[in-house]
Amino acid sequence: MDNPIAFTIVIASILLTMYISWASRRHTRTTAAFYVAEGKIPWRLNGAAMLGDYCSAASFLGVAGAVALVGVDGWWLALGFFAAWIVVLLVIAGPLKSTGKYTVGDVLSARFGGRESGIRIVAMLSTLVLCTLYLVPQMVGAGHLFKLLLGWDYLPTVLVTGTLMAVYVIVGGMRGTTYNQAIQGILLFGAMLGILIWVSISHFGGNPLAIVERSQEMVPPAVVTKEVAGTLAQMETADAAAAVATAREQMPDAPDAITPGVELRDLANQASLVLGLFLGTLGLPHILIRFYTVRNARAARKSAEFTIWGLAIFYAAVLLVGLAAMYVMYPTLVQLLAEGQRGKATNMAVPMLGQLLGGEIVLGIIAAGAMAAMLSTAVGLLISATTSLSHDLYATVLRPQSTDRERVLFAKTGAGFLAAVSIVLALWLRDQNVGVLVAMCFGIAASTFAPALVFTVWWTRLTRQAVVAGMGVGLVLSLVLTFAKFFNVPHLLGVPVLVNPALYSVPAAILVTVLVAYLTKDTGRADEFLASAHGS
């Protein structure tokens, strides 16, 4: 077995979270308990759970790895993730809790009497599409990452990941999921800060700010020419300082690691990506459902504030760890890029740094952190999807007279089914570039739930027909553009396909919503609903 100590640490962390799910099993007997833990989660615990839910492996390994290769330009995605939470706090957190019960569909339909089937169906479809597309990259990432980290084969890793997320949801419901996500969030947070402290002491004289000073000397590995890479390939990791100096001597005019603009996209792609990230968090179901788990709107806002502070510290640590990895692993990273192994260089920068610092023990902690990141995000996605499936479709449209027991059973069955579907898709797409779907999911969310929710809780003129039309157009257009990009279609109807669908699909969804609102009259209980949403 490769890395038995690291393997033991990962298994121990999994057993702990499984025990928590088992201990929470008695809190899954009613829909209120299974869906949202009866709204009794303390706001600090909920904030920690949202931190774990939001910090996927893309943040834990991907952003730090990108910084290690291109410098500060690899950090812009993290800033987009962080800035989106400010919008959530200011625009949607309080009104969402005040007007909803279990799902985003509750808020959208509450304004129109609460049983509007058209709105609930399009909300449920959007939730299932988003959660499924977001689940697949988590599982594919787990399969590939643990092959690199621990030597595990792809198939058993995907099967274990899919089974674990189903067990967590089916056995523990929202209460077990919340505690697990909080623990996983703390593990992620602690692992990143621990690496930062350790590398600061061992390589930068105990001063994290010295990392920034050294960064001004480094030519980002992604900028290093082939000729220079050939020279650096002969150096060992122990000669990192000499390698950094050599690269700078041979490329005196090259940008340094904290120079912006090293690897930015063209204006259209950059604008589309930023728009998708900025608005996307407003529409991610697995994030929004967490606001229903606390007692009131004030607690919802406090949860968001807690998460924002956690993300601020976490992403600052990510930047410094990424820059430290660039310095300490400089010859290795340059060599991996020269060999065309950019994916491995990105995903393995932090694990390689950890193994260099503390051997198998630190590697095990990082592997446990990576598994925590994937499972935490996957479990949040799965429970939000099953809640929408059971509440918005089964309990409201298909069988309104069903009992609590039947609805919980349907939700648990749905969790098992969606987990199985995700496993099949992850096996089918194992060799595809599905990582792009993570950012694209933000674009889909920005095109569906984001404008619909903002209009619902802030605009008196919004109509029932406008909600359905706007979300429908946003969903279809963003999906078409997402899969066009996924299958490498350069142009669609003469329009260039961008890295994210948001630049096209968000304005289209907003325009359709506004036009249909002015052409129709069913504004529902607008005044009463908005007064409830804003506490007046």
Side-chain angles (χ1 to χ4, degrees):
M1 177 189 298
D2 292 341
N3 303 312
I5 297 176
F7 174 80
T8 302
I9 294 173
V10 172
I11 295 300
S13 68
I14 290 174
L15 290 176
L16 172 62
T17 52
M18 288 187 69
Y19 170 77
I20 291 171
S21 292
W22 175 255
S24 303
R25 68 192 184 282
R26 64 181 181 276
H27 298 284
T28 64
R29 294 169 183 167
T30 66
T31 51
F34 184 81
Y35 295 160
V36 293
E38 299 178 299
K40 295 180 179 179
I41 299 297
W43 65 264
R44 290 183 180 87
L45 178 63
N46 195 51
M50 287 196 292
L51 181 65
D53 203 351
Y54 198 67
C55 290
S56 65
S59 297
F60 184 67
L61 297 180
V63 174
V67 171
L69 298 186
V70 303
V72 73
D73 277 354
W75 197 49
W76 299 134
L77 284 179
L79 288 183
F81 295 150
F82 175 73
W85 272 94
I86 307 296
V87 182
V88 171
L89 173 63
L90 297 177
V91 175
I92 206 70
L96 193 71
K97 174 60 182 177
S98 297
T99 57
K101 187 177 182 182
Y102 299 138
T103 66
V104 181
D106 280 340
V107 180
L108 299 176
S109 65
R111 177 165 167 167
F112 305 99
R115 303 192 67 83
E116 166 48 48
S117 59
I119 291 177
R120 286 194 178 274
I121 288 174
V122 73
M124 181 271 300
L125 289 174
S126 298
T127 299
L128 290 183
V129 167
L130 273 167
C131 290
T132 302
L133 289 180
Y134 215 146
L135 272 172
V136 172
Q138 301 301 319
M139 299 179 68
V140 173
H144 289 309
L145 184 60
F146 281 87
K147 176 68 174 178
L148 294 173
L149 282 175
L150 301 176
W152 296 359
D153 289 335
Y154 182 86
L155 176 60
T157 304
V158 168
L159 292 174
V160 168
T161 304
T163 302
L164 281 175
M165 71 181 187
V167 169
Y168 287 157
V169 171
I170 293 170
V171 176
M174 179 55 82
R175 182 183 177 87
T177 297
T178 298
Y179 277 98
N180 277 328
Q181 287 182 323
I183 289 173
Q184 290 159 343
I186 292 169
L187 177 60
L188 286 170
F189 193 84
M192 189 58 70
L193 286 183
I195 295 170
L196 175 59
I197 293 170
W198 199 329
V199 75
S200 297
I201 293 172
S202 62
H203 288 80
F204 298 95
N207 180 14
L209 295 180
I211 298 173
V212 179
E213 294 177 10
R214 297 283 178 85
S215 300
Q216 296 174 329
E217 306 166 5
M218 292 187 288
V219 177
V223 178
V224 172
T225 62
K226 291 183 179 180
E227 293 76 13
V228 177
T231 303
L232 300 183
Q234 302 173 18
M235 296 184 175
E236 300 292 335
T237 302
D239 295 324
V244 168
T246 299
R248 175 54 65 190
E249 288 173 6
Q250 298 190 29
M251 301 179 65
D253 298 324
D256 59 52
I258 57 174
T259 300
V262 171
E263 198 174 76
L264 292 179
R265 299 171 176 84
D266 60 85
L267 180 61
N269 276 296
Q270 193 69 16
S272 194
L273 181 61
V274 170
L275 182 63
L277 292 176
F278 189 66
L279 294 179
T281 304
L282 277 171
L284 291 177
H286 66 299
I287 298 296
L288 300 178
I289 195 175
R290 297 230 55 92
F291 293 119
Y292 297 132
T293 64
V294 293
R295 294 184 182 276
N296 50 46
R298 181 177 181 275
R301 285 189 289 267
K302 295 291 285 184
S303 296
E305 290 173 9
F306 185 99
T307 304
I308 287 170
W309 279 108
L311 287 174
I313 298 170
F314 179 81
Y315 283 130
V318 164
L319 173 64
L320 294 174
V321 168
L323 293 173
M326 180 190 294
Y327 182 82
V328 175
M329 306 296 302
Y330 197 80
T332 303
L333 294 176
V334 170
Q335 184 176 0
L336 286 172
L337 290 177
E339 294 170 354
Q341 300 187 63
R342 185 171 186 130
K344 182 177 180 179
T346 301
N347 290 327
M348 292 301 292
V350 173
M352 286 189 298
L353 176 63
Q355 191 166 27
L356 181 67
L357 293 174
E360 275 197 53
I361 294 178
V362 176
L363 178 63
I365 293 172
I366 292 173
M371 178 63 86
M374 293 167 185
L375 281 176
S376 182
T377 302
V379 169
L381 290 163
L382 188 59
I383 197 165
S384 63
T386 56
T387 297
S388 182
L389 192 64
S390 176
H391 181 63
D392 290 329
L393 181 64
Y394 183 75
T396 306
V397 178
L398 298 181
R399 291 199 61 197
Q401 305 305 318
S402 57
T403 65
D404 242 21
R405 177 183 174 84
E406 290 171 333
R407 294 174 185 181
V408 171
L409 179 61
F410 186 87
K412 291 184 176 183
T413 304
F417 174 76
L418 289 175
V421 170
S422 299
I423 289 172
V424 172
L425 289 175
L427 294 176
W428 176 45
L429 298 171
R430 62 178 296 174
D431 296 321
Q432 300 297 318
N433 184 21
V434 295
V436 71
L437 285 178
V438 174
M440 287 186 171
C441 284
F442 279 78
I444 297 171
S447 309
T448 52
F449 284 126
L453 281 170
V454 173
F455 280 134
T456 297
V457 301
W458 290 98
W459 191 32
T460 57
R461 189 65 186 81
L462 182 70
T463 65
R464 173 179 57 83
Q465 297 88 344
V467 174
V468 176
M471 286 190 67
V473 168
L475 178 62
V476 172
L477 184 56
S478 60
L479 274 178
V480 169
L481 292 168
T482 291
F483 282 98
K485 181 64 178 178
F486 183 68
F487 290 110
N488 297 314
V489 177
H491 293 83
L492 199 64
L493 299 178
V495 176
V497 176
L498 304 177
V499 70
N500 191 287
L503 192 62
Y504 301 135
S505 52
V506 170
I510 292 174
L511 180 62
V512 168
T513 301
V514 173
L515 286 176
V516 174
Y518 279 108
L519 293 173
T520 52
K521 297 181 179 181
D522 184 7
T523 59
R525 302 179 294 108
D527 293 336
E528 178 185 345
F529 175 84
L530 292 178
S532 172
H534 301 289
S536 58

